[in-house]
Amino acid sequence: MSLTHAAEDPRVVRSKTAVLETTRELLREFGFGGVTVDAVTARSGVAKTTIYRHWPDSNALLLDAFTFEKPIVDFDETDDLRADLRRGVRRLVADLSGDSWGPLFPAMMEASERDHDFRRLSRAFIDERRRPLLVRLTRAAKSRQLSADTDVELLASAIVGPIFYRRFVSRQAMAKVFPDQVVDLALRGVGYDG
Amino acid sequence: MSLTHAAEDPRVVRSKTAVLETTRELLREFGFGGVTVDAVTARSGVAKTTIYRHWPDSNALLLDAFTFEKPIVDFDETDDLRADLRRGVRRLVADLSGDSWGPLFPAMMEASERDHDFRRLSRAFIDERRRPLLVRLTRAAKSRQLSADTDVELLASAIVGPIFYRRFVSRQAMAKVFPDQVVDLALRGVGYDG
């Protein structure tokens, strides 16, 4: 399933972990502006030279801190498209509602708005995370679970857009059934009757 | 249409405007962490005592800076629900793509995540801005343009969620036809065939 990397020196693993955890703490407390290599060094005790050995700049470090817990939401691939999508969107909601990824995400959006380099990096981050859903929908269109001319990018936005909107914009509570409702509305919206 | 206020002293208007414009500049450059009353005073030349006379704290000032250009998107109310929604969502896209509101919005989301007081204020701000769409959809359900049991909150999230998602999360370009496509998918999703 995954490439095998040569085992890293445990001391290196330990200091990298400390740096990433400190970065996430600073992000939670102070937002993007609070994360400088100096601040990470001061709190983590890891030397600046060590930090720069692993990350070329604070943007790279920030992106790594976001991906620390590998928050890629997978989409299953069974014969039941609706069930696959519902499960995937429920996972996304759980992810965004938990402690790991969700509370840091607004800092990423904010930094992307102001900083060109960070925007480029975070677009790649998001693209990677959108891919499993796009792949699932594209296969559904190829196998005629969905109509062959389905606009999968539009459908993907219709499926995850309302989730991000409620979590970060309107901040409305999401009922347990909300992911299913969103999926059902979107599927009906593209004429799926499976 | 609107309440008439007693005319304000032009000097007061001038200093309030300077404070709000400075606040917006600082937000664009530095994000939430860059807006302190000290920083606003330093750049605008308006005394701290004057600022505190108009705004109890920096959160109130920040919210006022966001609402400066009154970015409430109206929804028309004609017999053609689809056309009304398409027009409203096109306005929302134009608003979020312009210079006034969109570039500041991620700072609001970020601040809401970290600061309890700001979260409360910004929820009220967003609720006020969701209202015209909810009112339009509720009337449509009452007049049977939509089925009477339509979940208008779900439908509202399906209509605006994909717009906010593309603007602030995936940062995908929105084709001119995207607002119409989103409205059409959502309406079909709730069984509207008008």
Side-chain angles (χ1 to χ4, degrees), chain A residues 26-33 102-114 119 122-123 126-127 130 151 153-162 164-173 178 181-182 184-192, chain B residues 26-33 102-114 119 122-123 126-127 130 151 153-162 164-173 178 181-182 184-192:
Chain A
L26 292 170
L27 269 174
R28 280 208 194 83
E29 288 173 41
F30 307 110
F32 187 70
L104 298 177
F105 195 69
M108 178 185 268
M109 290 190 279
E110 202 272 321
S112 296
E113 191 71 31
R114 281 187 297 116
R119 180 154 61 239
S122 73
R123 274 207 59 163
I126 294 291
D127 283 349
R130 287 193 309 123
D151 182 339
E153 284 281 9
L154 172 66
L155 179 53
S157 295
I159 290 173
V160 301
F164 280 88
Y165 175 77
R166 290 232 176 163
R167 172 65 182 82
F168 297 114
V169 180
S170 71
R171 292 185 163 270
Q172 292 164 275
F178 187 68
Q181 292 176 320
V182 167
D184 290 353
L185 189 152
L187 285 178
R188 191 177 179 189
V190 294
Y192 177 80
Chain B
L26 292 170
L27 268 175
R28 279 207 196 82
E29 289 172 40
F30 306 111
F32 188 69
L104 298 177
F105 195 69
M108 179 186 267
M109 289 191 279
E110 202 272 321
S112 296
E113 192 71 31
R114 281 187 299 114
R119 181 154 60 237
S122 72
R123 275 207 59 163
I126 293 293
D127 283 351
R130 287 194 307 125
D151 182 339
E153 284 281 9
L154 172 65
L155 180 53
S157 295
I159 289 172
V160 300
F164 280 88
Y165 176 77
R166 291 233 175 161
R167 172 66 181 80
F168 298 113
V169 180
S170 72
R171 292 186 164 269
Q172 294 163 274
F178 187 68
Q181 291 176 321
V182 167
D184 290 353
L185 188 153
L187 284 178
R188 190 176 180 192
V190 296
Y192 176 80

Side-chain angles (χ1 to χ4, degrees), chain A residues 63-154:
Chain A
L63 253 298
D64 243 21
F66 282 124
T67 58
F68 190 40
E69 305 205 0
K70 305 186 177 48
I72 294 190
V73 172
D74 278 324
F75 282 83
D76 302 333
E77 193 151 346
T78 72
D79 289 339
D80 189 343
L81 174 64
R82 184 187 307 275
D84 291 352
L85 294 176
R86 284 175 163 197
R87 256 194 312 273
V89 174
R90 277 185 227 140
R91 276 181 212 135
L92 173 65
V93 170
D95 246 36
L96 291 178
S97 308
D99 280 345
S100 69
W101 193 41
L104 298 177
F105 195 69
M108 178 185 268
M109 290 190 279
E110 202 272 321
S112 296
E113 191 71 31
R114 281 187 297 116
D115 185 299
H116 179 269
D117 290 337
F118 196 84
R119 180 154 61 239
R120 198 172 37 76
L121 290 167
S122 73
R123 274 207 59 163
F125 172 93
I126 294 291
D127 283 349
E128 190 185 349
R129 271 144 196 83
R130 287 193 309 123
R131 198 166 304 134
L133 174 57
L134 291 174
V135 167
R136 182 66 189 87
L137 296 177
T138 301
R139 292 208 178 129
K142 282 208 178 115
S143 68
R144 311 306 292 263
Q145 287 179 299
L146 290 173
S147 142
D149 64 352
T150 302
D151 182 339
V152 294
E153 284 281 9
L154 172 66

